[in-house]
Structures are given as structure tokens and as C-alpha cells.
Amino acid sequence: MTEHVTPKSTRRQPWLAVALSILMPGVGHAYCGKLRRGLVLGLFYAIGIPVVLGMLAWASPASTVTFGLLMALAAFGVVIGAAVDSYRLARRTRSDYELKAYNGPGVYILLGLLIQGSCFGYALHIRSSLFEAFRVPSMSEFPTIVPNDRLLVDRIAYRRTDPQRGDTVLFRPPNEDWRTYYIKRIVAIEGDTVAMKDGALYVNGERLAVRKIDKPSSAGHVTVDGRTLQGEFFEETNGTARYTIFLSTPEQNAVRDLPETVVPQQHCFVLGDNRNRSRDSRHFGPIPYAVIEGRADYICWPADRWSRFGRID
């Protein structure tokens, strides 16, 4: 009696090719027998996109964070493209597909780790050199920034230009705890004179124009010790910059009067938008440009609702 043995099908499974491509672009192509294409795609995903967009961000006057968002979109596009392409490749393989030497789980894992390692290395470089995400736990920048907002900070914003009035900057406070970051708004730059009289801000001898406004829809709901934060909202005009400030009931230690101060060279004067609940240059003086870590450009994860997503005014 002759025993017939049905050979095991080696045809590539489309669902598995897609899953591998989503986990790490390029691995799905290796699974389908296209190792060279997979390596090119994986290295472009891990290195090519960050390098090209990083160089453009360095050379362009546009916000570095803008290029960071473009990088995320490009990476997402590569993942989707890799998944679609590997799906088509798997659909075209025959049931008697000849297994390659690299068709094995161990090789797939090593290939994925190679690509992932490149991604991780460039992610660390981008985080330390280009832009970084931060969470803000305090209310000193309310209503512009609500407690627990997540921000993207452009770390190279001031490599081509000096800080400007109206910028919201992240810095380590001089003569304070250097393990803590502060985030405040620049209201005066080098050479300016700044003073406060009964809570009103004066720059170069002129009182800044303020206009009372309704509560911004993006301000959210903030409580202090279980009570809703009460106060009034104003639009302040400082040269070409316009931004919203909040004046709550003054705290006992709130600084509402400040003698005229000249901002030294390579320094700027910063205040919190929540003027009566902020520790800023009224307490530790103008800050050197050297302590500024970057400019806060975008809210990337709103604390309460998606209407807060977007560029910081």
C-alpha cells in the first residue's frame, strides 16, 4: 500500500506579513522573501526620516516642532505603506514558496531589534537636541497652559534668533532648585526697562495695554484646594505680541509693585500669565539666555478636551 504525504504549504500568510510590518517596518518583507527591500524600508523608517527632517528643521526658520509632527506623520505613512506592500507580496506567493535561510523567528526578531535600536538612538538624539515633551503640573501659566497639559518644546528655537517678547520659554531658574524646570512668558528683553505698579506692567516706561475679555473656551476648569479658581481674564499687548493673562484674587505673597529694572544684556524678564500665582523674575530677577532650554510651541496632549490641542499663543 502506497502512503501519500501532502507537502506542508509554505505560502506566506498576508495577515502575518501585515502584523510583522506594523510591529516594525521591513520585517514583513523579510517574511515574504524580500530581505533587501525590507532592510531598505526599515532603515529609511529608522534613520532616513529623522535625518532628513532633522536637517531641514535645523536649516529652516520654521518651528522645529512642526518638523517633529511631520516626522511622526511620515513614520506613520511608512508603517501603513509597508503593511500594504507586504500584504500584496504575501498574496502573490505560491503555496510551494521556497523558504530562505532568513525565514525564521530568530532572524525576524534580530532584524526588528536592529531597526528598533536605530529608532531608539535617534529618538534620544532628537529628545536631547531638537524637541522634547514636558508635562506642566503648575498653574502659573494659566490660562495659556492648564495644569497637566503636555507641551512640545523646541530646543533649538534660539540658535538662530534671540528670545522675543511674548515667547513662552522653558528654563532652569537661576539660584533655585536646578532639578526643576520653570515655564513662563517673556515680557521684556535685553536693554528694556520693566516695572510694576499696583499689578500693572510697564515696559520701557509705558504701561502695557490690557483689555478685559470673557473666559477663553480653552481655559478649562481649574480648582485650588477644592475650590474653583476665581479671577478675571485680560488680553495684554506687548509690542507685536498679544496674549491672555489671568488676575486672580492676590495672594499674600503676590508681588504687585516692582521698581524699575533694566534687563541686562543676554537676559530677559519673565512673568507667569497667572500673575498673582507665579514665582518668576519678580522673585529671582531677569534670567540669562543661557538657562533657557527652549521655546514651548505646542500643546500636544490637552488636560481636559481636544480643543486645547495646537500652537501656544
Side-chain angles (χ1 to χ4, degrees):
M1 179 184 220
T2 303
E3 184 176 335
H4 296 280
V5 178
T6 302
K8 182 179 179 181
S9 175
T10 55
R11 182 176 183 177
R12 306 290 84 183
Q13 298 298 320
W15 68 267
L16 183 54
V18 170
L20 291 172
S21 294
I22 291 176
L23 287 174
M24 188 54 61
V27 179
H29 289 75
Y31 168 74
C32 293
K34 301 294 183 180
L35 179 62
R36 183 178 299 177
R37 189 190 301 187
L39 284 172
V40 171
L41 190 64
L43 292 177
F44 176 72
Y45 169 82
I47 299 176
I49 293 175
V51 168
V52 172
L53 288 179
M55 292 176 64
L56 289 175
W58 185 275
S60 172
S63 168
T64 306
V65 177
T66 300
F67 285 97
L69 296 175
L70 289 176
M71 191 180 301
L73 290 175
F76 179 74
V78 170
V79 171
I80 298 302
V84 171
D85 191 43
S86 63
Y87 175 83
R88 291 174 176 173
L89 286 173
R91 288 287 301 271
R92 290 200 295 265
T93 58
R94 299 164 56 93
S95 59
D96 58 349
Y97 165 81
E98 183 178 350
L99 293 175
K100 308 295 191 296
Y102 52 79
N103 282 137
V107 177
Y108 301 151
I109 292 173
L110 288 175
L111 181 59
L113 290 175
L114 171 66
I115 299 172
Q116 183 64 40
S118 300
C119 288
F120 184 70
Y122 272 94
L124 290 178
H125 170 71
I126 289 168
R127 181 180 182 273
S128 62
S129 304
L130 298 179
F131 63 91
E132 185 176 355
F134 288 86
R135 182 182 70 88
V136 180
S138 70
M139 64 176 65
S140 66
E141 273 298 285
F142 179 81
T144 305
I145 300 170
V146 172
N148 292 319
D149 276 350
R150 272 69 170 177
L151 312 178
L152 289 179
V153 174
D154 186 345
R155 285 188 171 274
I156 64 171
Y158 299 125
R159 293 189 184 180
R160 298 180 295 271
T161 185
D162 288 335
Q164 302 295 316
R165 294 186 206 138
D167 289 355
T168 302
V169 293
L170 183 85
F171 62 95
R172 296 182 186 270
N175 305 318
E176 303 268 329
D177 184 356
W178 272 70
R179 294 171 297 180
T180 304
Y181 286 105
Y182 279 24
I183 185 162
K184 309 292 177 184
R185 189 180 298 277
I186 296 176
V187 297
I189 55 178
E190 57 180 13
D192 287 343
T193 60
V194 59
M196 292 191 73
K197 299 175 184 178
D198 195 25
L201 180 61
Y202 291 76
V203 176
N204 295 327
E206 295 186 5
R207 179 173 176 170
L208 296 190
V210 294
R211 178 176 63 89
K212 187 176 179 179
I213 60 175
D214 294 331
K215 179 180 179 180
S217 59
S218 61
H221 180 74
V222 177
T223 60
V224 179
D225 299 328
R227 295 177 298 175
T228 301
L229 188 63
Q230 299 293 330
E232 297 179 316
F233 298 85
F234 296 87
E235 181 187 73
E236 187 169 77
T237 301
N238 190 344
T240 59
R242 290 185 179 181
Y243 44 85
T244 303
I245 63 173
F246 179 73
L247 299 181
S248 61
T249 303
E251 300 291 305
Q252 289 184 352
N253 60 348
V255 179
R256 296 176 55 80
D257 293 286
L258 183 74
E260 188 171 83
T261 301
V262 178
V263 181
Q265 293 295 308
Q266 296 296 305
H267 285 66
C268 58
F269 198 95
V270 296
L271 293 176
D273 286 346
N274 188 352
R275 292 285 164 82
N276 294 326
R277 288 179 174 266
S278 173
R279 183 170 179 80
D280 45 43
S281 287
R282 292 171 292 184
H283 302 86
F284 46 72
I287 64 169
Y289 290 167
V291 304
I292 296 177
E293 297 285 336
R295 184 182 64 209
D297 278 350
Y298 286 89
I299 295 176
C300 62
W301 187 264
D304 50 5
R305 54 185 180 276
W306 282 107
S307 63
R308 295 187 49 71
F309 179 87
R311 190 171 183 85
I312 296 174
D313 294 326

